[in-house]
Amino acid sequence: MVTKSRAAVIPKPNAPLIIQEFEIPELTPGAALLKVANAGVCGTDVHLWHGKLAGVPYPLIPGHEVVGTIEAIGPRPVKDLDGNVLKPGDRVTFHDVYNTCYRCWNCLIAKAPTKCTNRTVYGITMDSQKHPHLIGGYSEYVYLSPGTHIIKIPEHVSFDGASAVGCAMPTAVHTVLRSPLTWGANVAVQGAGPVGLMIAVLAIINGAATVTMLDQAKNRLELAKKFGVTHTLNIAETSLEDRKQKLMDISGGHGPDIVYEATGNARAIPEGIELVREGGSYTICGQYTDSGTIEINPHLMNRKHLDIKTVWGSETLHVYKGVKTIADNYHRFPFDDLVTHKFSLDDAQKALDAQESHVSLKAVIQPNA
Ligand SMILES: [Zn+2]
Ligand SMILES: [Zn+2]
């Protein structure tokens, strides 16, 4: 039985990551110990490092996109979301959001559980100073507390493929479920990062007639083509008028039925409103962190008779459906290709730097490699 785990720790905002060794606490009834295979490096981790998220306890072990192998189970059986009893050696992931309460006003009355006031999140808002300490994926082991929502990774899906789930697939699932996507739709996606790519995947699976990806990074647009989008538009090489016209041509002269925003850039929003067809739907999910204020003409939104929706966070349902979607469509899309960079635990700082400079599409840390 392992007794210690090395972990990368953010001591305080903007301070370089350090490696620390922790005692692995005894497993209580309902708890399990996870041996980490991949911890996804997410844009959120960079924001955490810069101290840009409120309510985060430092020092912090980051890492909320985790896949790995069950190392040990506590004195009571632990089940996955399908009700299967887990055993050591099982390959799993888990929903990073812990203890959504279903008792607070936001959960019960507003029916907005992603705005639950009692949630805590592995690798973001859990306190590594307190028991059970090993609460983030930048670590050899993660302590899965009783009640953690665990999902098995099917044998035919690699850890890299499952890492495509990260936050990107659940966000994409949530976003698409908030939109009126049906077969035959003409879809445009702003932003070919992991979230935009996963939205494109869901649009293709749902039978969209056309899926057009907009981005300025050539390598990302190339990858989008590998995922099967029907058209790409490079925003660095075209004007807004060009893009509008092209999308009109693609969709029989009307413009896209649905535009999804997944850019993280405020300037995408007025453009999305321009691009979507009259009576169409615009769904915004890429403004998770504050990218500033932008001028918008509300008359255009009103005149075009638009449905505009936004999305915050994800529920366990979205993570579960994300894993199933990747498993069911694993041979149809090159999910493994999303992971472009791999780092050891000692190089966790380099992984954050790669994420920040957009060198990587998806970087992972492999603490046990
Ligand atoms: Zn709640
Ligand atoms: Zn994330």
Side-chain angles (χ1 to χ4, degrees):
M1 175 68 192
V2 289
T3 57
K4 289 183 165 65
S5 174
R6 296 170 76 239
V9 178
I10 303 175
K12 59 181 185 197
N14 294 313
L17 269 66
I18 51 171
I19 303 294
Q20 277 182 5
E21 195 170 70
F22 292 80
E23 293 283 338
I24 296 173
E26 196 181 329
L27 296 176
T28 58
L33 190 66
L34 182 77
K35 185 176 183 179
V36 178
N38 284 350
V41 179
C42 177
T44 303
D45 299 341
V46 177
H47 294 301
L48 290 171
W49 180 42
H50 289 309
K52 281 190 190 161
L53 261 79
V56 175
Y58 296 93
L60 174 78
I61 305 174
H64 56 276
E65 306 180 351
V66 191
V67 298
T69 311
I70 296 287
E71 176 76 14
I73 302 279
R76 200 174 69 206
V78 176
K79 292 179 178 174
D80 71 2
L81 278 175
D82 284 314
N84 304 305
V85 175
L86 292 166
K87 55 185 189 315
D90 283 343
R91 300 159 75 249
V92 301
T93 187
F94 61 92
H95 189 199
D96 58 348
V97 174
Y98 183 62
N99 66 19
T100 302
C101 75
Y102 296 103
R103 286 193 302 274
C104 72
W105 192 91
N106 282 353
C107 279
L108 281 182
I109 308 303
K111 298 239 180 241
T114 63
K115 300 303 298 181
C116 172
T117 48
N118 296 309
R119 324 196 307 167
T120 53
V121 187
Y122 281 94
I124 298 181
T125 67
M126 285 191 195
D127 192 340
S128 60
Q129 303 268 72
K130 293 183 184 156
H131 182 275
H133 309 290
L134 297 168
I135 48 72
Y138 290 23
S139 173
E140 289 169 332
Y141 294 91
V142 174
Y143 187 104
L144 300 179
S145 292
T148 299
H149 295 137
I150 301 171
I151 303 159
K152 258 190 167 178
I153 299 168
E155 283 306 320
H156 70 282
V157 177
S158 74
F159 280 132
D160 286 356
S163 286
V165 175
C167 303
M169 185 53 119
T171 303
V173 169
H174 195 183
T175 303
V176 166
L177 285 174
R178 296 267 286 173
S179 72
L181 181 62
T182 54
W183 74 95
N186 291 296
V187 168
V189 183
Q190 298 174 287
V195 176
L197 273 178
M198 293 302 111
I199 290 173
V201 161
L202 295 173
I204 293 165
I205 291 171
N206 278 284
T210 65
V211 179
T212 305
M213 183 64 84
L214 295 88
D215 203 290
Q216 57 188 343
K218 278 193 183 129
N219 59 333
R220 291 187 172 207
L221 291 174
E222 284 307 314
L223 184 59
K225 280 185 198 159
K226 279 214 247 171
F227 271 83
V229 303
T230 55
H231 304 79
T232 59
L233 284 172
N234 191 323
I235 62 169
E237 294 170 355
T238 53
S239 68
L240 174 57
E241 282 311 310
D242 293 341
R243 296 193 281 279
K244 253 174 108 169
Q245 189 55 52
K246 193 86 200 336
L247 284 167
M248 288 280 194
D249 296 344
I250 288 168
S251 58
H254 304 289
D257 303 298
I258 309 175
V259 176
Y260 296 102
E261 184 280 328
T263 67
N265 189 326
R267 285 178 302 166
I269 306 300
E271 166 151 350
I273 293 165
E274 287 274 355
L275 296 180
V276 66
R277 73 159 164 83
E278 300 205 322
S281 165
Y282 188 37
T283 306
I284 298 164
C285 72
Q287 306 293 317
Y288 188 75
T289 47
D290 188 343
S291 63
T293 305
I294 195 89
E295 215 168 77
I296 287 173
N297 184 346
H299 169 65
L300 186 58
M301 292 151 57
N302 204 150
R303 195 183 77 209
K304 288 182 83 168
H305 189 62
L306 297 185
D307 281 332
I308 297 180
K309 288 227 175 188
T310 68
V311 178
W312 184 257
S314 51
E315 295 175 51
T316 302
L317 148 83
H318 306 129
V319 183
Y320 180 86
K321 278 191 181 289
V323 174
K324 298 288 174 198
T325 301
I326 287 178
D328 293 346
N329 298 278
Y330 192 59
H331 299 297
R332 201 172 157 193
F333 300 98
F335 291 112
D336 288 37
D337 291 357
L338 271 178
V339 176
T340 53
H341 291 69
K342 296 179 178 184
F343 296 90
S344 68
L345 190 61
D346 294 297
D347 285 338
Q349 182 67 52
K350 286 185 190 161
L352 281 184
D353 296 342
Q355 175 68 36
E356 181 160 40
S357 58
H358 293 285
V359 170
S360 53
L361 182 63
K362 186 84 206 162
V364 297
I365 291 171
Q366 300 188 309
N368 289 292

